[in-house]
Amino acid sequence: MVTTEALLFGDRPSKSVSLVATYAAITMTALVGAAFAGTVSPGAPVTTLLRQDLLSVVLFAAPGLIALGGGYARFGAPACLSVGVVPGASVAVLTAAVGVLDVLAGGTPGVTLGFAFAGSVAYIGLLRAFLGYCAGVTVALLVDARRTAMEPDRESDA
């Protein structure tokens, strides 16, 4: 496959799907773990670690870094940009689940703020994933150009 096509569309579809699915599972686990820890023991140091440090890394820093690696490994733009939407989608799913549980418990759902936060997280994640993907593709093209320049000229040998 031509390098530009591999960088844009990806040459590993099964690995691309597993990249996005694995990141979605990690994100959802971190969100549910932080929510559960905040409910069970709100003042514990592990709760503070989960809510402030781990969630910041998983929701905001990871999409760019994963997309950078995916761009370099030629997973394609759709997979790398999907990684950026995963944190917002995970927050939206968790917000909807909390709203459903609240209605089943007899309350009124107050999930509007949660969905606004999910949209903001998705926007930030998508922006970081786009920048990471562009950086990964740039590095991949530079490495390919360097490899091409380092290879001996086959036409002059013949």
Side-chain angles (χ1 to χ4, degrees):
M1 182 179 278
V2 178
T3 299
T4 53
E5 288 180 14
L7 288 170
L8 185 59
F9 300 113
D11 60 356
R12 302 173 183 160
S14 63
K15 291 193 184 244
S16 299
V17 171
S18 66
L19 172 80
V20 176
T22 302
Y23 180 58
I26 290 170
T27 303
M28 191 56 94
T29 302
L31 283 169
V32 169
F36 182 72
T39 303
V40 173
S41 58
V46 71
T47 302
T48 305
L49 175 76
L50 279 173
R51 285 189 158 178
Q52 292 179 357
D53 299 330
L54 181 68
L55 282 183
S56 297
V57 170
V58 168
L59 293 179
F60 300 115
L65 297 173
I66 293 171
L68 186 141
Y72 178 74
R74 293 170 173 79
F75 284 158
C80 293
L81 296 179
S82 296
V83 165
V85 180
V86 164
S90 298
V91 170
V93 167
L94 187 63
T95 300
V98 167
V100 167
L101 291 175
D102 198 22
V103 168
L104 291 176
T108 57
V111 296
T112 307
L113 186 61
F115 285 121
F117 178 67
S120 300
V121 170
Y123 175 72
I124 292 168
L126 189 60
L127 178 65
R128 287 182 181 245
F130 177 72
L131 293 174
Y133 172 71
C134 290
V137 166
T138 302
V139 171
L141 290 173
L142 288 173
V143 168
D144 286 349
R146 176 94 173 147
R147 280 188 197 141
T148 304
M150 298 292 286
E151 289 179 2
D153 191 15
R154 295 181 187 186
E155 292 177 11
S156 64
D157 291 340

